Amino acid sequence: MGANDDLPVFREADADISVLAGKTITIVGYGHLGRSLALNFRDATKAKVIIGSRKDDSRDLAEKEGFPIFDIGEAVAQADLTLLLVPDETQPEVMEGSVRANLRPGSALLFASGYNLAYDLIALPQGVDVLLFAPRMVGDVIRDLFVAEKGFLSYVSVEQDATGNAWPTLLAVASAAGSLRRGALKLSAKQEANLDLFGEQALGPWLGAAILAAYQVGLEAGLPPEGLLLEMYLSGEMSKTFQAMSDSGFFRSVYLHGYAAAFGGMTRTMAVDRDVMMETMREAVKDIQSGAFAEELQAEIEAGYPSRAFLDEMLGDDNEINRIEDNLRRKLGLDEG
Amino acid sequence: MTQSPPATGEELQNILRRTVELLNDKLDPPQLERIASAFQTVRWEFNDLDTAVHLVSDQTGPALRFAPSVEGNPSVTIGMSSKTLDDAAWGRTSFGTAFITGKLKVKGLHPLKMSKFASMLDPFLASYREAQEEANGS
């Protein structure tokens, strides 16, 4: 196990953005990612960018921002390149209801998440290039970075090359989006989906549980609840810690916090039972890779989201942490920027 | 109408015994089958009243039955105070909030069985309310 020198990485020099000139790019779904990519493509290419959308608030926003708007099927029928950017759980329905029958032979269909391809929830359409461009960045930040002439990392793959031109198209998209200023790694849809779910299900729960547990223990020890939340995330210091990991390296960033932090962190890390943690992570990755999680999510969707109420209760307004956050935001003017 | 929460383990057991009877009427056979396929036994622990009860899936029924004790390990163990259960039943809190704040603890619930577990919660609480109203004679 070690560094992989063979992992393909693409930069600006690998892409020819002019292959998109004169083409029609259809963005299906004008959410955070769809909006950012539509604006970036309009600024970076000589392509015609149009939006396929259902009648909702995002459609109104797209219209206000000057994009031609069509019903989804109508927009796809015009496209040389279609980006399917609706949420994973609704993609199969949109694909079968409005996209598949309208795809032009020789056009390209692009996904920003590998989930439905990885678990065979969407069958590859025939005679069409199928591409994955998966930004590792929050949707609306992609626009901010583009405007600031900064890049972001992404994963790219060609899942089906029907025309022989799939790679030039994909790299032009990654470039026009602004990603290749930083770089794109070649990873398949299956790898992307597995990694994405692994981060959400192996690391995410432990981070969340650690914050909740630390909050409870801190309260038991008489520490002020407002201070606990500020310390753990609300001040923004912790996000800078993660930024430092990204900028300097996971281990190399440790001394940036001073010797007391490094010494305390090291000694307490040694007391953590990593075996327990790893066992739950192994279970998570087993279910992800076997497809058991995807099956369960599909059953949840088909049953009408029976777990949604419980999730809403967990995240809803009726909890102490939300109330303390609101109070602190008001007192400190944290929402004023 | 305000209901008196159970004050003793015995009172709570009686209410929960009736809760399980009522719960069977609220769940249709496919729901009961889904629950039975995921959980053989759900143990509910109420440490403030030093009481535990079990919700057992009858695999052939399909039906759920109440048991004060069972042999072997439960599929899932849920721990809370009787007040948390009462608060959740009467809308003063929710199971989701109680879980997040550490007032409700769940052990042994496989993440992929969450949907089946969640589908049981609302009918369970509704049954508890009815059982409590019966016990209080209202």
Side-chain angles (χ1 to χ4, degrees):
Chain A
M1 192 173 70
N4 179 5
D5 288 335
D6 297 328
L7 182 67
V9 176
F10 302 99
R11 303 298 302 267
E12 291 279 24
D14 300 306
D16 176 7
I17 214 166
S18 71
V19 303
L20 298 175
K23 308 277 189 187
T24 297
I25 300 176
T26 290
I27 309 272
V28 177
Y30 201 72
H32 292 300
L33 181 60
R35 176 177 180 269
S36 285
L37 292 182
L39 293 167
N40 293 3
F41 291 161
R42 186 166 66 182
D43 290 348
T45 73
K46 292 179 179 167
K48 179 182 176 189
V49 181
I50 66 174
I51 309 299
S53 178
R54 291 173 172 164
K55 291 183 175 58
D56 58 17
D57 291 347
S58 70
R59 183 182 174 115
D60 297 340
L61 178 62
E63 196 160 25
K64 196 174 146 195
E65 294 187 314
F67 289 103
I69 320 288
F70 301 90
D71 287 337
I72 294 172
E74 220 179 319
V76 172
Q78 300 176 54
D80 297 295
L81 167 63
T82 297
L83 282 75
L84 187 54
L85 302 181
V86 295
D88 284 345
E89 58 271 23
T90 54
Q91 270 183 21
E93 180 206 333
V94 174
M95 178 73 186
E96 299 312 323
S98 310
V99 174
R100 186 183 296 278
N102 291 298
L103 286 166
R104 289 163 51 185
S107 68
L109 175 64
L110 184 143
F111 294 82
S113 154
Y115 183 82
N116 286 300
L117 299 175
Y119 295 109
D120 297 325
L121 297 169
I122 291 180
L124 297 182
Q126 290 188 343
V128 170
D129 292 342
V130 179
L131 316 173
L132 174 75
F133 167 58
R136 309 329 286 165
M137 185 50 65
V138 181
D140 46 5
V141 177
I142 285 173
R143 178 60 180 169
D144 299 340
L145 290 168
F146 181 90
V147 171
E149 299 189 352
K150 291 180 178 170
F152 57 91
L153 294 169
S154 61
Y155 300 144
V156 289
S157 82
V158 169
E159 297 294 309
Q160 177 169 282
D161 190 353
T163 66
N165 292 317
W167 272 108
T169 303
L170 176 58
L171 294 178
V173 166
S175 179
S179 174
L180 298 191
R181 290 173 183 154
R182 188 97 191 265
L185 279 66
K186 184 183 172 190
L187 287 184
S188 70
K190 194 172 188 64
Q191 288 172 315
E192 188 276 337
N194 281 193
L195 282 167
D196 192 44
L197 295 173
F198 185 69
E200 291 164 1
Q201 296 180 32
L203 180 61
W206 281 99
L207 284 177
I211 287 174
L212 291 171
Y215 179 75
Q216 275 182 257
V217 171
L219 287 186
E220 286 167 17
L223 298 174
E226 295 83 359
L228 285 166
L229 300 189
L230 280 167
E231 199 63 30
M232 290 192 290
Y233 58 87
L234 206 57
S235 68
E237 185 186 11
M238 196 56 86
S239 67
K240 297 293 181 196
T241 300
F242 275 82
Q243 187 61 51
M245 288 181 204
S246 172
D247 294 342
S248 307
F250 179 71
F251 294 114
R252 293 184 181 113
S253 64
V254 171
Y255 280 122
L256 297 175
H257 309 294
Y259 190 73
F263 177 75
M266 175 191 74
T267 50
R268 296 299 166 185
T269 300
M270 289 171 75
V272 168
D273 185 346
R274 254 194 284 176
D275 286 343
V276 173
M277 197 180 269
M278 286 166 69
E279 200 43 50
T280 66
M281 291 180 175
R282 284 189 192 104
E283 277 185 30
V285 79
K286 188 182 79 183
D287 291 336
I288 290 166
Q289 292 184 323
S290 70
F293 169 75
E295 276 177 30
E296 190 61 20
L297 177 59
Q298 207 56 27
E300 166 81 7
I301 293 166
E302 284 164 13
Y305 299 90
S307 305
R308 180 65 193 244
F310 191 77
L311 181 63
D312 288 345
E313 287 170 8
M314 284 169 66
L315 306 178
D317 286 335
D318 181 29
N319 74 59
E320 184 181 309
I321 288 179
N322 282 350
R323 285 192 290 275
I324 292 168
E325 281 179 3
D326 290 346
N327 192 33
L328 262 177
R329 285 183 194 288
R330 254 194 319 276
K331 282 186 177 166
L332 299 174
L334 293 177
D335 293 332
E336 292 160 20
Chain B
M1 185 179 168
T2 306
Q3 297 293 322
S4 308
T8 65
E10 192 182 347
E11 275 181 41
L12 179 63
Q13 289 217 6
N14 288 336
I15 290 172
L16 289 173
R17 182 178 284 110
R18 179 62 180 145
T19 298
V20 175
E21 289 170 7
L22 294 165
L23 182 59
N24 274 305
D25 295 336
K26 292 193 193 307
L27 299 174
D28 57 32
Q31 279 178 302
L32 288 164
E33 275 171 22
R34 276 199 298 276
I35 291 167
S37 71
F39 313 107
Q40 171 62 41
T41 310
V42 180
R43 176 181 168 88
W44 300 72
E45 293 177 344
F46 302 94
N47 292 336
D48 60 325
L49 298 180
D50 200 19
T51 294
V53 300
H54 299 83
L55 191 61
V56 180
S57 290
D58 182 340
Q59 305 288 322
T60 53
L64 297 167
R65 65 182 168 80
F66 172 91
S69 61
V70 293
E71 286 182 10
N73 293 325
S75 317
V76 179
T77 300
I78 299 166
M80 70 184 111
S81 69
S82 60
K83 180 177 186 314
T84 298
L85 172 62
D86 208 64
D87 285 349
W90 295 100
R92 292 185 292 270
T93 188
S94 64
F95 277 157
T97 303
F99 176 76
I100 280 292
T101 52
K103 291 177 182 166
L104 182 151
K105 293 185 172 67
V106 181
K107 283 184 194 164
L109 177 61
H110 190 283
L112 299 188
K113 292 178 178 175
M114 180 65 202
S115 298
K116 297 178 181 81
F117 182 70
S119 67
M120 186 171 59
L121 295 179
D122 276 350
F124 178 83
L125 291 176
S127 302
Y128 176 89
R129 285 193 297 273
E130 283 180 45
Q132 202 184 23
E133 282 174 340
E134 286 179 15
N136 291 340
S138 52

CSV table of all heavy atoms in Angstrom, one decimal, chain B residues 15-27 64 123-124 126-134:
chain,number,residue,atom,x,y,z
B,15,ILE,N,-49.2,-1.1,30.9
B,15,ILE,CA,-49.5,-0.2,29.8
B,15,ILE,C,-48.9,-0.7,28.5
B,15,ILE,O,-49.5,-0.7,27.4
B,15,ILE,CB,-49.1,1.3,30.1
B,15,ILE,CG1,-50.0,1.9,31.1
B,15,ILE,CG2,-49.1,2.1,28.8
B,15,ILE,CD1,-49.6,3.2,31.7
B,16,LEU,N,-47.6,-1.2,28.6
B,16,LEU,CA,-46.9,-1.7,27.4
B,16,LEU,C,-47.5,-3.0,26.9
B,16,LEU,O,-47.5,-3.2,25.7
B,16,LEU,CB,-45.4,-1.8,27.7
B,16,LEU,CG,-44.7,-0.4,27.8
B,16,LEU,CD1,-43.3,-0.6,28.3
B,16,LEU,CD2,-44.8,0.4,26.5
B,17,ARG,N,-48.0,-3.8,27.8
B,17,ARG,CA,-48.6,-5.0,27.4
B,17,ARG,C,-49.8,-4.7,26.5
B,17,ARG,O,-50.0,-5.3,25.4
B,17,ARG,CB,-49.1,-5.9,28.6
B,17,ARG,CG,-49.7,-7.2,28.3
B,17,ARG,CD,-50.1,-8.0,29.5
B,17,ARG,NE,-49.0,-8.6,30.1
B,17,ARG,CZ,-48.5,-8.3,31.3
B,17,ARG,NH1,-49.1,-7.3,32.0
B,17,ARG,NH2,-47.5,-8.9,31.8
B,18,ARG,N,-50.6,-3.8,27.0
B,18,ARG,CA,-51.8,-3.3,26.2
B,18,ARG,C,-51.3,-2.6,24.9
B,18,ARG,O,-52.0,-2.8,23.9
B,18,ARG,CB,-52.7,-2.4,27.1
B,18,ARG,CG,-53.9,-1.9,26.4
B,18,ARG,CD,-54.8,-3.0,26.0
B,18,ARG,NE,-56.0,-2.5,25.4
B,18,ARG,CZ,-56.7,-3.1,24.4
B,18,ARG,NH1,-56.3,-4.3,23.9
B,18,ARG,NH2,-57.7,-2.5,23.8
B,19,THR,N,-50.2,-1.9,25.0
B,19,THR,CA,-49.7,-1.2,23.8
B,19,THR,C,-49.4,-2.1,22.7
B,19,THR,O,-49.8,-1.9,21.5
B,19,THR,CB,-48.4,-0.4,24.2
B,19,THR,OG1,-48.7,0.6,25.2
B,19,THR,CG2,-47.8,0.3,23.0
B,20,VAL,N,-48.8,-3.2,23.1
B,20,VAL,CA,-48.5,-4.2,22.0
B,20,VAL,C,-49.7,-4.9,21.4
B,20,VAL,O,-49.8,-5.1,20.2
B,20,VAL,CB,-47.5,-5.3,22.6
B,20,VAL,CG1,-47.2,-6.4,21.6
B,20,VAL,CG2,-46.2,-4.7,23.1
B,21,GLU,N,-50.7,-5.1,22.2
B,21,GLU,CA,-52.0,-5.6,21.7
B,21,GLU,C,-52.6,-4.7,20.7
B,21,GLU,O,-53.0,-5.0,19.6
B,21,GLU,CB,-53.0,-5.8,22.8
B,21,GLU,CG,-52.7,-7.0,23.8
B,21,GLU,CD,-53.6,-7.0,25.0
B,21,GLU,OE1,-54.6,-6.2,25.1
B,21,GLU,OE2,-53.3,-7.9,25.9
B,22,LEU,N,-52.6,-3.4,21.1
B,22,LEU,CA,-53.2,-2.4,20.2
B,22,LEU,C,-52.3,-2.2,18.9
B,22,LEU,O,-52.8,-1.9,17.8
B,22,LEU,CB,-53.3,-1.0,20.9
B,22,LEU,CG,-54.3,-1.0,22.1
B,22,LEU,CD1,-54.1,0.2,22.9
B,22,LEU,CD2,-55.7,-1.0,21.5
B,23,LEU,N,-51.0,-2.3,19.1
B,23,LEU,CA,-50.1,-2.2,18.0
B,23,LEU,C,-50.3,-3.2,16.9
B,23,LEU,O,-50.3,-2.9,15.7
B,23,LEU,CB,-48.6,-2.3,18.5
B,23,LEU,CG,-47.5,-2.1,17.5
B,23,LEU,CD1,-47.6,-0.7,16.8
B,23,LEU,CD2,-46.1,-2.3,18.2
B,24,ASN,N,-50.7,-4.4,17.3
B,24,ASN,CA,-51.0,-5.4,16.3
B,24,ASN,C,-52.2,-5.0,15.4
B,24,ASN,O,-52.2,-5.4,14.2
B,24,ASN,CB,-51.3,-6.8,17.0
B,24,ASN,CG,-50.1,-7.5,17.3
B,24,ASN,OD1,-49.3,-7.8,16.4
B,24,ASN,ND2,-49.8,-7.9,18.5
B,25,ASP,N,-53.1,-4.3,16.0
B,25,ASP,CA,-54.2,-3.8,15.2
B,25,ASP,C,-53.9,-2.7,14.2
B,25,ASP,O,-54.5,-2.5,13.2
B,25,ASP,CB,-55.4,-3.3,16.1
B,25,ASP,CG,-55.9,-4.5,16.9
B,25,ASP,OD1,-55.8,-5.7,16.5
B,25,ASP,OD2,-56.5,-4.2,18.0
B,26,LYS,N,-52.8,-2.0,14.6
B,26,LYS,CA,-52.5,-0.8,13.7
B,26,LYS,C,-51.6,-1.2,12.6
B,26,LYS,O,-51.4,-0.4,11.6
B,26,LYS,CB,-51.8,0.3,14.6
B,26,LYS,CG,-52.7,0.9,15.6
B,26,LYS,CD,-52.0,2.1,16.2
B,26,LYS,CE,-52.8,2.6,17.5
B,26,LYS,NZ,-54.2,2.8,17.3
B,27,LEU,N,-50.9,-2.3,12.7
B,27,LEU,CA,-49.9,-2.7,11.6
B,27,LEU,C,-50.6,-3.7,10.7
B,27,LEU,O,-51.2,-4.7,11.2
B,27,LEU,CB,-48.7,-3.2,12.2
B,27,LEU,CG,-47.9,-2.3,13.1
B,27,LEU,CD1,-46.7,-3.0,13.8
B,27,LEU,CD2,-47.3,-1.1,12.3
B,64,LEU,N,-47.0,-9.4,16.8
B,64,LEU,CA,-46.1,-9.0,17.9
B,64,LEU,C,-46.7,-9.4,19.2
B,64,LEU,O,-47.9,-9.3,19.4
B,64,LEU,CB,-45.8,-7.5,17.8
B,64,LEU,CG,-45.2,-6.9,16.5
B,64,LEU,CD1,-45.3,-5.4,16.5
B,64,LEU,CD2,-43.8,-7.4,16.4
B,123,PRO,N,-46.9,4.1,15.1
B,123,PRO,CA,-48.0,3.3,15.6
B,123,PRO,C,-47.8,2.8,17.0
B,123,PRO,O,-48.7,2.7,17.8
B,123,PRO,CB,-48.0,2.1,14.6
B,123,PRO,CG,-47.3,2.5,13.4
B,123,PRO,CD,-46.3,3.6,13.8
B,124,PHE,N,-46.5,2.7,17.4
B,124,PHE,CA,-46.2,2.3,18.8
B,124,PHE,C,-46.6,3.4,19.7
B,124,PHE,O,-47.3,3.1,20.7
B,124,PHE,CB,-44.7,2.0,18.9
B,124,PHE,CG,-44.3,1.6,20.3
B,124,PHE,CD1,-44.4,0.3,20.8
B,124,PHE,CD2,-43.8,2.6,21.1
B,124,PHE,CE1,-44.0,0.0,22.1
B,124,PHE,CE2,-43.4,2.2,22.4
B,124,PHE,CZ,-43.5,0.9,22.9
B,126,ALA,N,-48.8,5.8,19.2
B,126,ALA,CA,-50.2,5.9,19.2
B,126,ALA,C,-50.9,4.9,20.1
B,126,ALA,O,-51.8,5.2,20.8
B,126,ALA,CB,-50.8,5.8,17.8
B,127,SER,N,-50.3,3.7,20.0
B,127,SER,CA,-50.9,2.6,20.8
B,127,SER,C,-50.6,2.8,22.3
B,127,SER,O,-51.5,2.6,23.2
B,127,SER,CB,-50.2,1.2,20.4
B,127,SER,OG,-50.4,1.0,19.1
B,128,TYR,N,-49.5,3.4,22.6
B,128,TYR,CA,-49.1,3.7,24.0
B,128,TYR,C,-50.1,4.7,24.6
B,128,TYR,O,-50.6,4.6,25.7
B,128,TYR,CB,-47.7,4.2,24.1
B,128,TYR,CG,-47.3,4.7,25.4
B,128,TYR,CD1,-46.7,3.8,26.3
B,128,TYR,CD2,-47.5,6.0,25.8
B,128,TYR,CE1,-46.3,4.3,27.6
B,128,TYR,CE2,-47.1,6.5,27.1
B,128,TYR,CZ,-46.5,5.6,28.0
B,128,TYR,OH,-46.2,6.0,29.2
B,129,ARG,N,-50.4,5.7,23.7
B,129,ARG,CA,-51.4,6.8,24.2
B,129,ARG,C,-52.7,6.2,24.5
B,129,ARG,O,-53.3,6.4,25.6
B,129,ARG,CB,-51.6,7.9,23.1
B,129,ARG,CG,-50.4,8.8,23.0
B,129,ARG,CD,-50.7,10.1,22.2
B,129,ARG,NE,-51.1,9.7,20.8
B,129,ARG,CZ,-50.2,9.6,19.8
B,129,ARG,NH1,-48.9,9.8,20.1
B,129,ARG,NH2,-50.5,9.4,18.6
B,130,GLU,N,-53.2,5.3,23.6
B,130,GLU,CA,-54.5,4.7,23.8
B,130,GLU,C,-54.5,3.8,25.1
B,130,GLU,O,-55.4,3.8,25.9
B,130,GLU,CB,-54.9,3.8,22.6
B,130,GLU,CG,-55.4,4.6,21.4
B,130,GLU,CD,-55.7,3.6,20.3
B,130,GLU,OE1,-56.4,2.6,20.5
B,130,GLU,OE2,-55.3,4.0,19.2
B,131,ALA,N,-53.4,3.1,25.2
B,131,ALA,CA,-53.2,2.2,26.4
B,131,ALA,C,-53.2,3.0,27.7
B,131,ALA,O,-53.8,2.6,28.7
B,131,ALA,CB,-52.0,1.3,26.3
B,132,GLN,N,-52.5,4.1,27.6
B,132,GLN,CA,-52.4,4.9,28.8
B,132,GLN,C,-53.8,5.5,29.2
B,132,GLN,O,-54.2,5.6,30.4
B,132,GLN,CB,-51.4,6.0,28.6
B,132,GLN,CG,-50.9,6.6,29.9
B,132,GLN,CD,-49.9,7.7,29.7
B,132,GLN,OE1,-50.0,8.4,28.7
B,132,GLN,NE2,-49.1,7.9,30.7
B,133,GLU,N,-54.5,6.0,28.1
B,133,GLU,CA,-55.9,6.5,28.4
B,133,GLU,C,-56.8,5.5,29.0
B,133,GLU,O,-57.5,5.7,29.9
B,133,GLU,CB,-56.5,7.0,27.1
B,133,GLU,CG,-55.9,8.4,26.7
B,133,GLU,CD,-56.3,8.9,25.3
B,133,GLU,OE1,-56.8,8.0,24.5
B,133,GLU,OE2,-56.2,10.0,25.0
B,134,GLU,N,-56.7,4.2,28.5
B,134,GLU,CA,-57.5,3.2,29.1
B,134,GLU,C,-57.1,2.9,30.5
B,134,GLU,O,-58.0,2.8,31.4
B,134,GLU,CB,-57.2,1.8,28.3
B,134,GLU,CG,-57.9,1.8,26.9
B,134,GLU,CD,-57.6,0.4,26.2
B,134,GLU,OE1,-57.1,-0.5,26.9
B,134,GLU,OE2,-57.8,0.4,25.0
